[in-house]
mmCIF file of all heavy atoms in Angstrom:
data_model
loop_
_atom_site.group_PDB
_atom_site.id
_atom_site.type_symbol
_atom_site.label_atom_id
_atom_site.label_comp_id
_atom_site.label_asym_id
_atom_site.label_seq_id
_atom_site.Cartn_x
_atom_site.Cartn_y
_atom_site.Cartn_z
ATOM 1 N N PHE A 1 54.393 120.308 136.064
ATOM 2 C CA PHE A 1 55.741 119.895 135.861
ATOM 3 C C PHE A 1 55.870 118.678 134.894
ATOM 4 O O PHE A 1 56.817 118.174 134.600
ATOM 5 C CB PHE A 1 56.453 119.512 137.106
ATOM 6 C CG PHE A 1 56.967 120.732 137.861
ATOM 7 C CD1 PHE A 1 56.197 121.287 138.910
ATOM 8 C CD2 PHE A 1 58.139 121.314 137.587
ATOM 9 C CE1 PHE A 1 56.607 122.429 139.663
ATOM 10 C CE2 PHE A 1 58.622 122.408 138.274
ATOM 11 C CZ PHE A 1 57.862 122.891 139.386
ATOM 12 N N HIS A 2 54.690 118.255 134.404
ATOM 13 C CA HIS A 2 54.599 117.136 133.328
ATOM 14 C C HIS A 2 55.409 117.484 132.180
ATOM 15 O O HIS A 2 55.319 118.603 131.659
ATOM 16 C CB HIS A 2 53.220 116.793 133.107
ATOM 17 C CG HIS A 2 53.052 115.456 132.427
ATOM 18 N ND1 HIS A 2 53.231 115.291 131.102
ATOM 19 C CD2 HIS A 2 52.680 114.234 132.923
ATOM 20 C CE1 HIS A 2 52.993 114.041 130.771
ATOM 21 N NE2 HIS A 2 52.673 113.311 131.911
ATOM 22 N N PRO A 3 56.071 116.532 131.533
ATOM 23 C CA PRO A 3 56.844 116.822 130.276
ATOM 24 C C PRO A 3 56.021 117.285 129.161
ATOM 25 O O PRO A 3 56.475 117.957 128.261
ATOM 26 C CB PRO A 3 57.390 115.348 129.947
ATOM 27 C CG PRO A 3 57.511 114.654 131.287
ATOM 28 C CD PRO A 3 56.347 115.171 132.060
ATOM 29 N N ASP A 4 54.685 117.025 129.168
ATOM 30 C CA ASP A 4 53.775 117.479 128.118
ATOM 31 C C ASP A 4 53.272 118.897 128.341
ATOM 32 O O ASP A 4 52.507 119.399 127.563
ATOM 33 C CB ASP A 4 52.553 116.528 128.000
ATOM 34 C CG ASP A 4 52.974 115.156 127.481
ATOM 35 O OD1 ASP A 4 53.985 115.060 126.743
ATOM 36 O OD2 ASP A 4 52.257 114.196 127.761
ATOM 37 N N ALA A 5 53.670 119.496 129.435
ATOM 38 C CA ALA A 5 53.168 120.797 129.747
ATOM 39 C C ALA A 5 53.659 121.853 128.649
ATOM 40 O O ALA A 5 54.775 121.686 128.067
ATOM 41 C CB ALA A 5 53.597 121.287 131.115
ATOM 42 N N PRO A 6 52.804 122.796 128.260
ATOM 43 C CA PRO A 6 53.294 123.756 127.199
ATOM 44 C C PRO A 6 54.602 124.470 127.576
ATOM 45 O O PRO A 6 54.844 124.642 128.789
ATOM 46 C CB PRO A 6 52.123 124.783 127.202
ATOM 47 C CG PRO A 6 50.965 123.974 127.677
ATOM 48 C CD PRO A 6 51.491 123.003 128.747
ATOM 49 N N ALA A 7 55.316 124.843 126.548
ATOM 50 C CA ALA A 7 56.584 125.436 126.790
ATOM 51 C C ALA A 7 56.496 126.738 127.641
ATOM 52 O O ALA A 7 57.373 127.059 128.481
ATOM 53 C CB ALA A 7 57.318 125.745 125.463
ATOM 54 N N GLU A 8 55.399 127.482 127.455
ATOM 55 C CA GLU A 8 55.209 128.693 128.230
ATOM 56 C C GLU A 8 55.127 128.413 129.735
ATOM 57 O O GLU A 8 55.733 129.132 130.565
ATOM 58 C CB GLU A 8 53.841 129.393 127.742
ATOM 59 C CG GLU A 8 53.616 130.676 128.575
ATOM 60 C CD GLU A 8 52.353 131.270 128.164
ATOM 61 O OE1 GLU A 8 51.552 130.603 127.461
ATOM 62 O OE2 GLU A 8 52.014 132.419 128.656
ATOM 63 N N ILE A 9 54.387 127.292 130.087
ATOM 64 C CA ILE A 9 54.337 126.976 131.470
ATOM 65 C C ILE A 9 55.697 126.448 132.048
ATOM 66 O O ILE A 9 56.092 126.927 133.124
ATOM 67 C CB ILE A 9 53.299 125.861 131.700
ATOM 68 C CG1 ILE A 9 51.874 126.420 131.436
ATOM 69 C CG2 ILE A 9 53.351 125.248 133.092
ATOM 70 C CD1 ILE A 9 50.738 125.401 131.551
ATOM 71 N N GLN A 10 56.371 125.702 131.196
ATOM 72 C CA GLN A 10 57.667 125.178 131.669
ATOM 73 C C GLN A 10 58.680 126.350 131.884
ATOM 74 O O GLN A 10 59.382 126.387 132.885
ATOM 75 C CB GLN A 10 58.236 124.211 130.640
ATOM 76 C CG GLN A 10 57.443 122.976 130.439
ATOM 77 C CD GLN A 10 57.708 121.988 131.523
ATOM 78 O OE1 GLN A 10 58.668 122.053 132.268
ATOM 79 N NE2 GLN A 10 56.773 120.990 131.546
ATOM 80 N N GLU A 11 58.712 127.340 130.966
ATOM 81 C CA GLU A 11 59.656 128.398 131.102
ATOM 82 C C GLU A 11 59.274 129.234 132.258
ATOM 83 O O GLU A 11 60.180 129.851 133.082
ATOM 84 C CB GLU A 11 59.648 129.247 129.854
ATOM 85 C CG GLU A 11 60.361 128.564 128.687
ATOM 86 C CD GLU A 11 61.711 128.220 129.039
ATOM 87 O OE1 GLU A 11 62.580 129.007 129.544
ATOM 88 O OE2 GLU A 11 62.144 126.979 128.800
ATOM 89 N N ARG A 12 57.975 129.478 132.541
ATOM 90 C CA ARG A 12 57.551 130.374 133.703
ATOM 91 C C ARG A 12 57.914 129.645 134.998
ATOM 92 O O ARG A 12 58.438 130.219 135.826
ATOM 93 C CB ARG A 12 56.097 130.575 133.604
ATOM 94 C CG ARG A 12 55.499 131.491 134.658
ATOM 95 C CD ARG A 12 56.047 132.924 134.338
ATOM 96 N NE ARG A 12 55.352 133.860 135.315
ATOM 97 C CZ ARG A 12 55.963 134.867 135.838
ATOM 98 N NH1 ARG A 12 57.135 135.162 135.508
ATOM 99 N NH2 ARG A 12 55.268 135.718 136.663
ATOM 100 N N LEU A 13 57.789 128.330 135.066
ATOM 101 C CA LEU A 13 58.127 127.574 136.288
ATOM 102 C C LEU A 13 59.639 127.607 136.432
ATOM 103 O O LEU A 13 60.130 127.600 137.557
ATOM 104 C CB LEU A 13 57.563 126.081 136.169
ATOM 105 C CG LEU A 13 56.106 125.974 136.375
ATOM 106 C CD1 LEU A 13 55.667 124.493 136.059
ATOM 107 C CD2 LEU A 13 55.679 126.269 137.784
ATOM 108 N N ARG A 14 60.383 127.439 135.320
ATOM 109 C CA ARG A 14 61.821 127.468 135.370
ATOM 110 C C ARG A 14 62.352 128.723 136.091
ATOM 111 O O ARG A 14 63.249 128.739 136.865
ATOM 112 C CB ARG A 14 62.408 127.367 133.918
ATOM 113 C CG ARG A 14 63.919 127.118 133.971
ATOM 114 C CD ARG A 14 64.418 127.145 132.537
ATOM 115 N NE ARG A 14 63.725 126.243 131.665
ATOM 116 C CZ ARG A 14 63.923 124.984 131.557
ATOM 117 N NH1 ARG A 14 64.902 124.374 132.199
ATOM 118 N NH2 ARG A 14 63.236 124.202 130.759
ATOM 119 N N TYR A 15 61.654 129.881 135.698
ATOM 120 C CA TYR A 15 62.033 131.041 136.366
ATOM 121 C C TYR A 15 61.550 131.220 137.756
ATOM 122 O O TYR A 15 62.363 131.556 138.651
ATOM 123 C CB TYR A 15 61.383 132.299 135.460
ATOM 124 C CG TYR A 15 61.662 133.661 136.191
ATOM 125 C CD1 TYR A 15 62.909 134.205 136.225
ATOM 126 C CD2 TYR A 15 60.584 134.363 136.879
ATOM 127 C CE1 TYR A 15 63.178 135.389 136.890
ATOM 128 C CE2 TYR A 15 60.850 135.544 137.534
ATOM 129 C CZ TYR A 15 62.079 136.052 137.459
ATOM 130 O OH TYR A 15 62.373 137.310 138.148
ATOM 131 N N LEU A 16 60.345 130.917 138.028
ATOM 132 C CA LEU A 16 59.777 131.067 139.385
ATOM 133 C C LEU A 16 60.394 130.181 140.408
ATOM 134 O O LEU A 16 60.514 130.527 141.570
ATOM 135 C CB LEU A 16 58.218 130.878 139.366
ATOM 136 C CG LEU A 16 57.455 131.970 138.500
ATOM 137 C CD1 LEU A 16 55.989 131.574 138.446
ATOM 138 C CD2 LEU A 16 57.655 133.349 139.166
ATOM 139 N N THR A 17 60.643 128.860 140.044
ATOM 140 C CA THR A 17 61.219 127.928 141.071
ATOM 141 C C THR A 17 62.735 127.782 140.861
ATOM 142 O O THR A 17 63.333 126.996 141.620
ATOM 143 C CB THR A 17 60.572 126.542 140.852
ATOM 144 O OG1 THR A 17 60.830 126.002 139.599
ATOM 145 C CG2 THR A 17 59.085 126.688 141.001
ATOM 146 N N GLY A 18 63.346 128.501 139.972
ATOM 147 C CA GLY A 18 64.667 128.398 139.748
ATOM 148 C C GLY A 18 65.442 129.677 139.761
ATOM 149 O O GLY A 18 65.889 130.272 140.789
ATOM 150 N N THR A 19 65.623 130.306 138.541
ATOM 151 C CA THR A 19 66.348 131.551 138.308
ATOM 152 C C THR A 19 65.916 132.680 139.253
ATOM 153 O O THR A 19 66.888 133.376 139.757
ATOM 154 C CB THR A 19 66.219 131.990 136.865
ATOM 155 O OG1 THR A 19 66.369 130.910 135.948
ATOM 156 C CG2 THR A 19 67.190 133.080 136.522
ATOM 157 N N ARG A 20 64.682 132.871 139.505
ATOM 158 C CA ARG A 20 64.252 133.963 140.366
ATOM 159 C C ARG A 20 64.819 133.961 141.732
ATOM 160 O O ARG A 20 65.056 134.965 142.304
ATOM 161 C CB ARG A 20 62.652 133.874 140.396
ATOM 162 C CG ARG A 20 62.001 134.830 141.401
ATOM 163 C CD ARG A 20 60.436 134.684 141.332
ATOM 164 N NE ARG A 20 59.818 135.278 142.417
ATOM 165 C CZ ARG A 20 59.392 134.638 143.419
ATOM 166 N NH1 ARG A 20 59.596 133.309 143.581
ATOM 167 N NH2 ARG A 20 58.729 135.280 144.472
ATOM 168 N N LEU A 21 65.133 132.740 142.242
ATOM 169 C CA LEU A 21 65.625 132.620 143.514
ATOM 170 C C LEU A 21 67.092 133.037 143.733
ATOM 171 O O LEU A 21 67.524 133.253 144.842
ATOM 172 C CB LEU A 21 65.585 131.115 144.039
ATOM 173 C CG LEU A 21 64.245 130.741 144.585
ATOM 174 C CD1 LEU A 21 63.232 130.595 143.434
ATOM 175 C CD2 LEU A 21 64.283 129.327 145.255
ATOM 176 N N TYR A 22 67.656 133.202 142.560
ATOM 177 C CA TYR A 22 69.118 133.699 142.582
ATOM 178 C C TYR A 22 69.459 135.065 141.913
ATOM 179 O O TYR A 22 70.496 135.551 142.000
ATOM 180 C CB TYR A 22 70.000 132.647 141.923
ATOM 181 C CG TYR A 22 69.864 131.205 142.586
ATOM 182 C CD1 TYR A 22 69.018 130.371 141.979
ATOM 183 C CD2 TYR A 22 70.522 130.936 143.760
ATOM 184 C CE1 TYR A 22 68.846 129.010 142.601
ATOM 185 C CE2 TYR A 22 70.387 129.677 144.296
ATOM 186 C CZ TYR A 22 69.543 128.736 143.732
ATOM 187 O OH TYR A 22 69.282 127.487 144.302
ATOM 188 N N ASP A 23 68.419 135.613 141.375
ATOM 189 C CA ASP A 23 68.602 136.833 140.658
ATOM 190 C C ASP A 23 69.151 137.979 141.439
ATOM 191 O O ASP A 23 69.924 138.825 141.043
ATOM 192 C CB ASP A 23 67.187 137.347 140.041
ATOM 193 C CG ASP A 23 67.055 137.068 138.627
ATOM 194 O OD1 ASP A 23 67.987 136.723 138.002
ATOM 195 O OD2 ASP A 23 65.928 137.218 138.059
ATOM 196 N N HIS A 24 68.895 137.978 142.789
ATOM 197 C CA HIS A 24 69.305 139.056 143.702
ATOM 198 C C HIS A 24 70.831 139.028 143.885
ATOM 199 O O HIS A 24 71.415 140.022 144.363
ATOM 200 C CB HIS A 24 68.604 138.950 145.013
ATOM 201 C CG HIS A 24 68.891 137.713 145.743
ATOM 202 N ND1 HIS A 24 68.404 136.539 145.283
ATOM 203 C CD2 HIS A 24 69.604 137.446 146.853
ATOM 204 C CE1 HIS A 24 68.792 135.520 146.206
ATOM 205 N NE2 HIS A 24 69.517 136.059 147.084
ATOM 206 N N LEU A 25 71.521 137.917 143.499
ATOM 207 C CA LEU A 25 72.985 137.869 143.750
ATOM 208 C C LEU A 25 73.728 138.873 143.031
ATOM 209 O O LEU A 25 74.737 139.396 143.455
ATOM 210 C CB LEU A 25 73.473 136.448 143.364
ATOM 211 C CG LEU A 25 73.014 135.263 144.198
ATOM 212 C CD1 LEU A 25 73.593 133.909 143.572
ATOM 213 C CD2 LEU A 25 73.423 135.497 145.672
ATOM 214 N N LYS A 26 73.186 139.255 141.818
ATOM 215 C CA LYS A 26 74.010 140.198 140.997
ATOM 216 C C LYS A 26 73.839 141.665 141.487
ATOM 217 O O LYS A 26 74.570 142.564 141.055
ATOM 218 C CB LYS A 26 73.479 140.157 139.543
ATOM 219 C CG LYS A 26 72.135 140.419 139.286
ATOM 220 C CD LYS A 26 71.784 140.075 137.790
ATOM 221 C CE LYS A 26 70.228 140.099 137.600
ATOM 222 N NZ LYS A 26 69.961 139.550 136.164
ATOM 223 N N HIS A 27 72.972 141.847 142.553
ATOM 224 C CA HIS A 27 72.842 143.171 143.186
ATOM 225 C C HIS A 27 73.500 143.298 144.509
ATOM 226 O O HIS A 27 73.540 144.336 145.130
ATOM 227 C CB HIS A 27 71.360 143.515 143.271
ATOM 228 C CG HIS A 27 70.499 143.360 142.053
ATOM 229 N ND1 HIS A 27 70.769 144.220 140.940
ATOM 230 C CD2 HIS A 27 69.473 142.616 141.743
ATOM 231 C CE1 HIS A 27 69.964 143.892 139.982
ATOM 232 N NE2 HIS A 27 69.197 142.915 140.406
ATOM 233 N N GLN A 28 74.083 142.156 144.997
ATOM 234 C CA GLN A 28 74.640 142.130 146.293
ATOM 235 C C GLN A 28 76.076 142.706 146.297
ATOM 236 O O GLN A 28 76.604 143.074 147.315
ATOM 237 C CB GLN A 28 74.677 140.786 146.898
ATOM 238 C CG GLN A 28 73.247 140.277 147.267
ATOM 239 C CD GLN A 28 73.301 138.823 147.878
ATOM 240 O OE1 GLN A 28 74.321 138.195 147.982
ATOM 241 N NE2 GLN A 28 72.141 138.543 148.499
ATOM 242 N N GLN A 29 76.722 142.720 145.109
ATOM 243 C CA GLN A 29 78.010 143.256 145.033
ATOM 244 C C GLN A 29 78.086 144.268 143.904
ATOM 245 O O GLN A 29 78.590 143.997 142.763
ATOM 246 C CB GLN A 29 79.076 142.126 144.813
ATOM 247 C CG GLN A 29 79.147 141.056 145.910
ATOM 248 C CD GLN A 29 80.221 140.125 145.685
ATOM 249 O OE1 GLN A 29 81.393 140.493 145.622
ATOM 250 N NE2 GLN A 29 79.813 138.870 145.679
#
């Protein structure tokens, strides 16, 4: 999570610890 981490790592973490947790909402309705 360090600011110097490569963009690829940051984007992957953004998805895994963020967006991925809410993706299922669009399938609930």
Side-chain angles (χ1 to χ4, degrees):
F1 281 96
H2 193 279
D4 292 333
E8 181 186 6
I9 291 180
Q10 295 284 344
E11 286 305 310
R12 187 67 172 145
L13 286 172
R14 189 186 308 277
Y15 173 73
L16 293 176
T17 65
T19 312
R20 171 174 167 265
L21 277 69
Y22 303 98
D23 258 348
H24 62 292
L25 292 178
K26 57 190 173 189
H27 304 300
Q28 290 184 348
Q29 298 187 56

